[in-house]
Amino acid sequence: MADGADELRQLGTALKGADKVIRKETLASLKATTEPLGSAVKAEASTLPGRGGLAAKVAATRVSTKVRMSGRQAGVRIVGLGRLNIDRLDRGSLRHPLFGNKQHWFGQSVRPGWWSRPIEAAAPQVAEDLGNAVGAALKRHVK
């Protein structure tokens, strides 16, 4: 039985020579499956410190879905775009200038897992939806 990454690689191979419209449609359906995760992550941003505007900055961060259909790392990733170090914040570590003085930086602990928790909670449903989307695309476009 093939896992999701194998199916995604198979789909990527099948779509390599496919019409651009078909490839674009398939990628759009994969991204649409993961789109609700961006809202869930942004909702969790309210657990971050509000003073200084961190929670608002994180909530305003653009969330993107990256789809890789080839190689050993075939899969789907949800990433935060911008200047904030989302990975460090998710691990529970925040660095900021002390009262705006960029000569003195201060380390602060924040609630860890605010990014990964909603994604992990939705992972089973998203995996099922992605599997259905990839399966449907394979049936439509692979002969």
Side-chain angles (χ1 to χ4, degrees), residues 42-54:
K42 287 182 178 193
E44 281 287 318
S46 65
T47 64
L48 295 171
R51 285 187 72 180
L54 178 65

Side-chain angles (χ1 to χ4, degrees), residues 31-52:
K31 287 185 177 188
T33 302
T34 59
E35 195 172 311
L37 293 177
S39 300
V41 166
K42 287 182 178 193
E44 281 287 318
S46 65
T47 64
L48 295 171
R51 285 187 72 180

Side-chain angles (χ1 to χ4, degrees), residues 48-49 54-55 57-58 61 83-96 108-116:
L48 295 171
L54 178 65
K57 285 179 188 172
V58 171
T61 298
R83 294 178 39 188
L84 295 172
N85 188 337
I86 299 293
D87 187 44
R88 175 183 265 178
L89 282 171
D90 189 50
R91 287 191 314 260
S93 177
L94 168 65
R95 285 192 70 230
H96 60 86
Q108 179 179 345
S109 294
V110 295
R111 182 176 173 217
W114 62 272
W115 176 274
S116 55

Side-chain angles (χ1 to χ4, degrees), residues 3-58:
D3 69 355
D6 288 338
E7 286 183 336
L8 198 56
R9 269 192 293 278
Q10 184 181 1
L11 178 61
T13 302
L15 291 177
K16 215 169 236 177
D19 184 71
K20 286 184 181 182
V21 174
I22 296 170
R23 185 171 173 78
K24 188 175 180 180
E25 168 204 325
T26 304
L27 288 172
S29 70
L30 289 172
K31 287 185 177 188
T33 302
T34 59
E35 195 172 311
L37 293 177
S39 300
V41 166
K42 287 182 178 193
E44 281 287 318
S46 65
T47 64
L48 295 171
R51 285 187 72 180
L54 178 65
K57 285 179 188 172
V58 171

Side-chain angles (χ1 to χ4, degrees), residues 1 5 37 58-59 70 95 117 121 128:
M1 181 172 169
L37 293 177
V58 171
S70 62
R95 285 192 70 230
R117 192 174 18 267
E128 183 180 329

